[in-house]
Amino acid sequence: MSTGPLFLLASPSGAFRTICTISAPADGAGQQKEKGYTVHGPAGDYAGRIVHGRSPRGIRQAWRMHTSADTQAAAGYKGSLRGWFAYWATLPLWPLFAVIGLLHDGGGPSSWMWDKPKRITWRSRPRGLGGALLRFTSGYSSFAWDTERLDASLSHAQAVLYFASLTKDS
C-alpha cells in the first residue's frame, strides 16, 4: 500500500500531460537500508519500481530499475572507480587548495572540487551486456537514455529520484 505520489511528472509543453507518478511505500520501508519507489505510467498503469541501496560490495550507492514484469532492467552505481580514486587521493590536499584559492582570487576553489563523484551509468542486467541504457555525466540537464530499450516513465522517474538524492546526500 502506498500514499499519494511523491512526485508527479508532467509535460511542460502544450496541454497538461502526465509522464509518470512516483510513490514510496507507506509501510516505513523508506527507513530500511534499501528504499523502493513505485512508478506508474501516464495512464496509471504500473511501469516498474526503482530501488536505491548499496552496491553488492557495499561501497557505492546503487540504483536499480525493475520493469513492470519485475525483472531487473538496469543497475547503476554512483561515481566511477576513477572518480572515487581521484576524490580520495586529493582529499588531504583540499585545505591547501582552499588557502591558495583564497590568496589568489579570494573566491577559493570552484565548487566541483568539493563534490563527491556524481557520474552514473545504468547498464542492462545481468552483467551489463548490451551497453548503457541511461547515463548521467554532469550538470543538471545531462541525462540520456536508450528510448528503444527503456521505458520513458521509468527513465524520467529515475532521473528525478537521482537529482533529489544529489541534493540530499551529495
Side-chain angles (χ1 to χ4, degrees):
M1 177 180 216
S2 62
T3 61
L6 235 95
F7 295 101
L8 171 66
L9 303 179
S11 175
S13 59
F16 181 83
R17 182 177 63 90
T18 301
I19 296 172
C20 68
T21 56
I22 307 167
S23 303
D27 59 1
Q31 302 301 321
Q32 297 174 355
K33 286 186 176 186
E34 290 195 341
K35 297 176 185 172
Y37 302 92
T38 305
V39 180
H40 293 275
D45 53 320
Y46 177 71
R49 67 187 171 93
I50 297 172
V51 179
H52 180 215
R54 287 280 177 200
S55 64
R57 293 185 182 148
I59 299 170
R60 298 189 285 170
Q61 289 184 23
W63 288 91
R64 292 181 293 282
M65 291 186 279
H66 299 268
T67 63
S68 57
D70 211 28
T71 59
Q72 187 172 335
Y77 304 106
K78 185 176 177 184
S80 65
L81 293 177
R82 183 176 12 162
W84 280 109
F85 177 77
Y87 173 81
W88 288 111
T90 61
L91 189 62
L93 300 173
W94 285 7
L96 175 66
F97 294 152
V99 169
I100 291 171
L102 289 171
L103 293 175
H104 178 28
D105 62 2
S110 61
S111 64
W112 66 266
M113 176 175 282
W114 309 108
D115 286 341
K116 294 177 184 174
K118 293 182 179 109
R119 183 177 133 181
I120 186 169
T121 300
W122 287 263
R123 299 189 185 281
S124 58
R125 294 295 175 216
R127 300 213 177 256
L129 301 174
L133 293 176
L134 179 67
R135 177 173 288 148
F136 172 74
T137 52
S138 64
Y140 284 104
S141 60
S142 303
F143 269 96
W145 81 90
D146 187 337
T147 57
E148 294 178 8
R149 298 181 345 176
L150 197 57
D151 180 59
S153 298
L154 210 52
S155 301
H156 283 91
Q158 179 62 81
V160 166
L161 289 170
Y162 187 64
F163 279 140
S165 79
L166 288 179
T167 59
K168 185 177 75 164
D169 61 9
S170 201

